[in-house]
């Protein structure tokens, strides 16, 4: 009995010490907690109970705490984060003190599928990829190639498919259509080949679904303790089994494309036919490395291709899906977009516009900016502090502090956008003289800010406006009755159940 009493006393003493250490830690680093903390599980129950509307719930909580707060996860799991949607904090981390806020090793572990590509790299590895992609994406020949590729895909695949659906009177999932369109498009621009996913029979495409699964699994890694998903990875169960299968499918596809491309280039050199290859990005990467006597290894090319796919596929799909949902539920905005196109280019004279033509559509550009403000394709970004710092909001940051920047919330803050921030208002982006209003990137954060701002911003707007203009010049999009748009739980802001719509021919 005495032995048991001593054992109980020892256990109680250890528990008391742990609690004291925990309280000391919280007083030192958690000066502005955003939730009530429970013993052992921390603040995680709040997240799990509201996971079904995580983005809006996070926005609401951050607003209640002045835009910045601290989240404490289950004890001893390392799931402690600083959360912010304060534009001054964002500007400080992404621009003013850029060197102090990195992706970090834990980020690369979570985003394992991205390899050592531009999105996960830091320091010199990031600079090398950044300079390389800058030279590729900003080259005039690639811009021309991209424009022709998009126009061809819209004219020969997208519009015929929508016409087929409209004639049959079928409900169509526009998000699925855009997923297929952007997948074909990115395969053409990055790999130089068209898998033809966008066809009237809607073929099953394993590689396209593998990308979606990998992104959902990465989101899952953010909301569970590291040891949980690592245990699942080891046992190959749950989300981690799906992640492994998705990555295997992706790698087989990408490496086969790399091997095929090497054969094509080698054959072209042997034959010396002088044939001009399409300037797809993989070909350019291979030629550039070989031209400098530093041929890129397959693993480098694999990571580059994967990162380009995510950048050029998912973000465009997200933006187009939310754009058409917003336009379909705001008929006055739709009418003004169509009116602008008719004034500039006449009625039904030309369906698929060129890049120089869509640049003239200021109101359409404003509607796109509003879409990206309210529904940024990447809803949150993760950083890690290298050294101690103090944010403009007054919050102290310790070395290795993990920080989540809530980009979704930033587009819904009254202090940034005004009391009408929840309204779709393209006029917000149009000056009195009819030009486009410039908003600092640390406020309009859809394309990131600072040295890591999006290299493909201008190209993205061209793609978005060519597709949107082509559809709206021909069709009226109507969301099916009773449909509720729900953001998916993924690192890319898609719709959970797709976007179900009816297409009708536009009447003039």
């Amino acid at each position: 009995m005495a032995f048991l009493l001593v054992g109980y006393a020892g256990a109680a003493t250890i528990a008391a010490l742990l609690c004291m250490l925990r309280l000391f830690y919280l007083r030192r680093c958690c000066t502005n907690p955003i939730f009530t903390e429970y013993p052992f599980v921390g603040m995680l129950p709040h997240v799990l109970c509201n996971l079904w509307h995580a983005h809006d719930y996070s926005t609401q909580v951050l607003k209640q705490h002045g835009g910045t707060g601290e989240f404490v996860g289950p004890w001893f799991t390392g799931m402690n984060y600083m959360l912010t949607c304060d534009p001054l904090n964002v500007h400080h981390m992404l621009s003013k003190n850029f060197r102090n806020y990195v992706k970090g090793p834990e980020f690369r572990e979570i985003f394992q599928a991205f390899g050592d590509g531009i999105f996960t790299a830091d320091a010199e590895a990031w600079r090398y990829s950044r300079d390389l992609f800058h030279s590729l994406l900003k080259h005039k020949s690639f811009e021309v190639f991209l424009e022709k590729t998009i126009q061809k895909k819209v004219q020969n695949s997208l519009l015929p498919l929508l016409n087929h659906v409209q004639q049959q009177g079928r409900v169509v999932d526009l998000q699925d259509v855009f997923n297929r369109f952007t997948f074909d498009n990115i395969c053409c621009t990055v790999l130089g080949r068209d898998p033809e996913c966008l066809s009237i029979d809607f073929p099953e495409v394993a590689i396209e679904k593998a990308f979606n699964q990998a992104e959902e699994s990465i989101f899952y890694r953010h909301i569970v303790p590291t040891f949980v998903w690592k245990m699942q990875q080891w046992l190959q169960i749950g989300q981690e089994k799906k992640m492994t299968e998705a990555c295997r499918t992706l790698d087989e596809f990408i490496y086969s494309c790399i091997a095929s491309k090497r054969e094509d280039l080698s054959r072209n050199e042997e034959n010396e036919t002088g044939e001009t290859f399409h300037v797809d990005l993989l070909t350019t990467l291979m030629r550039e490395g070989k031209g400098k006597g530093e041929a890129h290894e397959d693993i480098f090319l694999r990571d580059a291709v994967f990162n380009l796919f995510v950048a050029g596929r998912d973000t465009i799909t997200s933006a187009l899906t939310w754009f058409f949902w917003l336009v379909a539920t705001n008929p006055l905005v739709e009418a003004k977009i169509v009116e602008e196109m008719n004034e500039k280019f006449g009625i039904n004279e030309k369906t698929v516009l060129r890049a120089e033509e869509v640049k003239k559509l200021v109101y359409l550009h404003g509607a796109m900016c509003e879409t990206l403000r309210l529904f940024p394709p990447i809803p949150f970004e993760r950083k890690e502090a290298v050294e101690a710092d103090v944010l403009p909001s007054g919050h102290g940051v310790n070395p290795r502090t993990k920080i989540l920047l809530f980009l979704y919330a930033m587009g819904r803050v009254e202090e940034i956008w005004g009391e009408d921030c929840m309204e779709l208002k393209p006029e917000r982006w149009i000056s009195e003289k009819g030009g486009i209003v410039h908003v600092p990137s640390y406020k309009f954060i859809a394309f990131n800010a600072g040295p890591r701002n999006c290299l493909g911003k201008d190209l993205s707007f061209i793609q978005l406006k060519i597709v949107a203009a082509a559809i709206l010049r021909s069709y009226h999009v109507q969301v099916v009755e009773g449909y509720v748009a729900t953001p998916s739980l993924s690192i890319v802001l898609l719709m959970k159940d797709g976007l179900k719509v009816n297409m009708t021919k536009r009447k003039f």
Side-chain angles (χ1 to χ4, degrees):
M1 180 66 72
F3 176 77
L4 289 175
L5 289 173
V6 171
Y8 287 139
T13 301
I14 292 172
L17 285 171
L18 289 175
C19 288
M20 288 175 64
L21 286 170
R22 186 67 176 174
L23 287 171
F24 171 77
Y25 173 79
L26 288 177
R27 287 178 180 176
R28 182 172 63 86
C29 74
C30 195
T31 56
N32 187 25
I34 58 174
F35 302 119
T36 301
E37 186 194 4
Y38 300 100
F40 299 106
V41 294
M43 302 175 183
L44 190 59
H46 295 279
V47 174
L48 297 178
C49 289
N50 292 279
L51 197 58
W52 61 278
H53 64 154
H55 302 296
D56 290 312
Y57 182 64
S58 301
T59 300
Q60 174 190 340
V61 170
L62 282 169
K63 283 183 178 182
Q64 293 171 351
H65 288 80
T68 304
E70 291 165 282
F71 172 85
V72 178
W75 292 15
F76 310 112
T77 61
M79 286 184 66
N80 302 330
Y81 296 95
M82 173 84 71
L83 316 178
T84 188
C85 64
D86 185 328
L88 295 180
N89 287 346
V90 171
H91 185 43
H92 178 80
M93 286 183 276
L94 299 186
S95 298
K96 285 190 172 182
N97 201 10
F98 169 75
R99 293 181 181 276
N100 192 51
Y101 295 92
V102 298
K103 299 290 186 178
E106 191 173 322
F107 180 98
R108 283 185 284 279
E109 196 172 40
I110 290 175
F111 285 77
Q112 178 186 356
F114 283 69
D116 294 322
I118 190 171
F119 290 137
T120 58
D122 284 317
E124 291 305 317
W126 167 74
R127 289 189 191 89
Y128 177 80
S129 292
R130 175 84 179 184
D131 292 343
L132 180 61
F133 285 134
H134 185 272
S135 67
L136 297 180
L137 298 178
K138 297 298 182 181
H139 201 282
K140 185 62 179 177
S141 63
F142 177 71
E143 293 182 13
V144 173
F145 173 58
L146 178 63
E147 179 182 356
K148 288 182 178 179
T149 301
I150 296 167
Q151 288 180 313
K152 181 180 178 182
K153 178 55 64 173
V154 171
Q155 189 71 62
N156 297 342
S157 300
L158 179 61
L159 293 179
L161 181 142
L162 294 179
N163 187 56
H164 175 77
V165 168
Q166 183 268 326
Q167 288 179 346
Q168 289 194 330
R170 289 168 48 190
V171 171
V172 65
D173 179 356
L174 263 192
Q175 180 167 267
D176 183 37
V177 170
F178 293 142
N179 247 333
R180 294 168 181 274
F181 170 83
T182 55
F183 184 73
D184 283 354
N185 193 54
I186 201 66
C187 280
C188 289
T189 54
V190 174
L191 304 174
R193 73 188 216 186
D194 187 349
E196 298 182 348
C197 301
L198 188 64
S199 61
I200 59 175
D201 55 346
F202 288 88
E204 188 80 10
V205 183
I207 182 68
E208 190 259 346
K209 293 193 175 299
F211 271 103
N212 294 339
Q213 182 56 60
E215 289 159 1
E216 289 178 12
S217 297
I218 289 171
F219 181 88
Y220 173 80
R221 288 182 175 185
H222 278 86
I223 61 172
V224 298
T226 302
F227 76 86
V228 173
W229 68 258
K230 282 194 172 183
M231 180 64 73
Q232 289 187 333
Q233 187 182 53
W234 183 62
L235 295 173
Q236 280 300 286
I237 59 175
Q239 281 286 347
E240 289 302 313
K241 181 180 180 181
K242 295 177 182 178
M243 175 73 138
T244 299
E245 292 171 349
C247 288
R248 185 183 301 118
T249 300
L250 293 168
D251 285 350
E252 288 174 357
F253 171 74
I254 295 173
Y255 280 122
S256 69
C257 290
I258 292 170
S260 176
K261 185 67 66 176
R262 285 200 190 281
E263 288 181 12
D264 289 343
L265 290 173
S266 176
R267 191 180 303 114
N268 185 58
E269 287 179 359
E270 290 174 4
N271 295 336
E272 295 182 355
T273 59
E275 178 185 357
T276 301
F277 277 72
H278 292 304
V279 286
D280 61 83
L281 291 175
L282 181 56
T283 297
T284 307
L285 275 171
M286 288 180 169
R287 283 179 168 173
E288 181 165 322
K290 195 168 185 179
K292 294 179 179 179
E294 301 174 355
H296 296 303
E297 295 181 358
D298 284 5
I299 184 64
F300 175 87
L301 295 172
R302 179 266 174 212
D303 294 345
V305 167
F306 187 97
N307 282 253
L308 286 167
F309 261 74
V310 174
R313 168 188 171 267
D314 300 333
T315 53
I316 299 296
T317 297
S318 170
L320 285 172
T321 302
W322 289 107
F323 170 81
F324 276 97
W325 178 73
L326 286 170
V327 168
T329 52
N330 289 271
L332 289 179
V333 171
E334 179 189 16
K336 288 183 179 181
I337 292 173
V338 174
E339 180 183 6
E340 179 184 53
M341 289 191 292
N342 292 340
E343 287 178 356
K344 298 282 186 184
F345 309 112
I347 298 176
N348 275 343
E349 286 186 3
K350 187 178 180 182
T351 305
V352 184
L353 303 176
R354 293 182 292 107
E356 289 304 315
E357 291 173 323
V358 296
K359 289 179 181 178
K360 299 176 183 178
L361 299 174
V362 177
Y363 193 84
L364 176 60
H365 185 92
M368 281 295 175
C369 288
E370 281 291 86
T371 301
L372 295 167
R373 174 180 71 83
L374 289 167
F375 298 100
I378 307 299
F380 64 91
E381 185 172 347
R382 177 184 173 126
K383 291 288 185 181
E384 183 177 309
V386 177
E387 299 175 352
D389 193 16
V390 177
L391 300 178
S393 61
H395 293 80
V397 175
N398 295 318
R400 299 195 66 185
T401 295
K402 296 186 287 286
I403 303 165
L404 292 180
L405 315 180
F406 278 82
L407 316 189
Y408 180 91
M410 288 182 68
R412 296 153 186 270
V413 175
E414 290 84 353
E415 286 76 11
I416 304 176
W417 300 101
E419 294 183 359
D420 60 354
C421 65
M422 295 305 296
E423 297 178 22
L424 178 67
K425 193 174 179 181
E427 293 81 3
R428 203 186 307 273
W429 300 87
I430 304 173
S431 68
E432 293 181 359
K433 295 182 179 180
I436 296 170
V437 173
H438 171 73
V439 176
S441 56
Y442 61 88
K443 291 184 179 179
F444 179 50
I445 198 68
F447 294 95
N448 213 318
R452 293 190 88 128
N453 69 323
C454 178
L455 289 170
K457 177 180 177 180
D458 294 337
L459 295 176
S460 296
F461 270 119
I462 288 172
Q463 292 182 71
L464 292 170
K465 289 190 283 190
I466 286 177
V467 175
I471 294 176
L472 289 175
R473 278 174 74 77
S474 299
Y475 300 100
H476 168 66
V477 179
Q478 185 175 12
V479 179
V480 297
E481 188 175 351
Y483 173 81
V484 178
T486 306
S488 63
L489 298 179
S490 177
I491 59 171
V492 178
L493 197 67
L494 298 170
M495 288 188 183
K496 181 182 176 183
D497 301 310
L499 178 58
K500 307 299 193 306
V501 302
N502 289 298
M503 310 290 295
T504 55
K505 280 283 188 181
R506 188 167 296 283
K507 298 178 181 178
F508 295 94

